[in-house]
Amino acid sequence: QVQLVESGGGLVQAGGSLRLSCAASGSTFSINAMGWYRQAPGKFRELVASISSESSTNYADSVKGRFTISRDNAKDTVYLQMNSLKPEDTAVYYCMAEEDSYYGGSYYWGQGTQVTVSS
């Protein structure tokens, strides 16, 4: 089992920046990829960014050039640096960890952290 705890959300004006953190605990040795998803009111949850165990990254088109995902394997933590924030970035942001298929391939989710961008 893997537990994920997010932090760093809040209220920011358009054009501002926030840094989200997600600390993993438990069977962290089983984690392969990690990522950030978001869900705005009335919308489906969508991928924001992901990072593999080899630090290969993938971004949604809407955040490319503005957001940066990184991970510190020594601290079992993944980060999302969000710059040039827009009101449409407002959502609950969720951390996700994908378990390596060798250990079962489960997906784990954090409890979510609210990001609100005012215009």
Side-chain angles (χ1 to χ4, degrees):
Q1 292 288 320
V2 174
Q3 295 79 43
L4 303 172
V5 178
E6 302 107 332
S7 60
L11 173 64
V12 64
Q13 289 188 334
S17 298
L18 282 174
R19 188 193 194 205
L20 305 184
S21 299
C22 173
S25 61
S27 302
T28 58
F29 59 86
S30 67
I31 295 174
N32 186 0
M34 298 187 74
W36 289 95
Y37 285 70
R38 67 186 181 188
Q39 187 167 17
K43 294 188 177 182
F44 292 107
R45 190 173 297 189
E46 63 175 359
L47 173 68
V48 177
S50 64
I51 185 166
S52 71
S53 56
E54 294 81 25
S55 295
S56 175
T57 59
N58 181 50
Y59 295 93
D61 288 342
S62 59
V63 307
K64 283 181 180 177
R66 300 189 297 123
F67 291 11
T68 302
I69 189 171
S70 61
R71 68 191 287 177
D72 185 334
N73 292 326
K75 295 183 178 180
D76 294 322
T77 300
V78 63
Y79 306 95
L80 185 68
Q81 178 66 43
M82 305 186 293
N83 299 328
S84 302
L85 282 160
K86 304 175 181 180
E88 50 263 44
D89 294 319
T90 296
V92 178
Y93 283 70
Y94 297 91
C95 178
M96 182 278 299
E98 177 189 10
E99 189 177 56
D100 190 273
S101 59
Y102 179 81
Y103 298 100
S106 297
Y107 290 85
Y108 298 96
W109 297 90
Q111 80 285 356
T113 185
Q114 177 70 47
V115 170
T116 303
V117 184
S118 63
S119 57

